[in-house]
């Protein structure tokens, strides 16, 4: 479950009567107090509001790097597209040359057969 999908007063999937109050960073799950004290006692978890703020800040810190990588990827994609068009053009010319040479060879063979 993503943090952005957690609603206020969401109930714990494991303990239906308990409200989710924490976020387990180790398991990447919202958890209740019972979960925190039992199944997640050795995990790293934080109060939900603090965890949401920390995850939002982490996301904001990653944005510039992501945007830079996305920009570089678009540039490289454009270069690949240009190269692909060149290869397709070269392939078309090569196929035309092969066809011309095949026609010439076939014509010469017919001439030899008829001679």
């Amino acid at each position: 479950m993503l943090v952005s999908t957690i609603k206020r007063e969401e109930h714990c999937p494991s303990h239906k009567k308990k409200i989710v109050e924490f976020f387990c960073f180790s398991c990447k799950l919202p958890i209740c107090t019972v979960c925190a004290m039992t199944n997640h006692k050795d995990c790293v978890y934080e109060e939900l509001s603090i965890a949401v703020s920390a995850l939002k800040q982490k996301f904001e810190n990653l944005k510039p790097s992501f945007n830079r990588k996305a920009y570089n990827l678009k540039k490289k994609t454009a270069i690949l597209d240009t190269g692909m068009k060149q290869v397709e053009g070269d392939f078309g010319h090569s196929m035309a040359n092969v066809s011309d040479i095949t026609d010439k060879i076939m014509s010469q063979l017919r001439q030899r057969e008829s001679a």
Side-chain angles (χ1 to χ4, degrees), residues 45-98:
Y45 58 89
E46 186 65 72
E47 184 182 314
L48 196 57
S49 62
I50 294 170
V52 168
S53 295
L55 289 171
K56 281 183 181 179
Q57 185 60 49
K58 185 176 180 180
F59 175 75
E60 288 300 320
N61 292 343
L62 290 172
K63 267 185 181 179
S65 174
F66 173 80
N67 289 337
R68 195 170 37 258
K69 288 177 182 179
Y71 174 76
N72 288 335
L73 186 58
K74 284 181 185 177
K75 282 181 17 180
K76 289 177 182 178
T77 300
I79 291 169
L80 286 173
D81 286 344
T82 301
M84 187 64 176
K85 287 177 185 171
Q86 181 66 45
V87 167
E88 288 170 349
D90 291 349
F91 179 75
H93 287 109
S94 295
M95 290 303 292
N97 288 340
V98 167

Side-chain angles (χ1 to χ4, degrees), residues 13-36:
S14 300
H15 307 97
K16 304 294 182 199
K17 293 182 181 181
K18 295 287 183 179
I19 301 295
V20 169
E21 296 181 45
F22 300 97
F23 184 79
C24 177
F25 286 97
S26 303
C27 302
K28 297 179 177 44
L29 294 170
I31 58 174
C32 70
T33 53
V34 174
C35 287

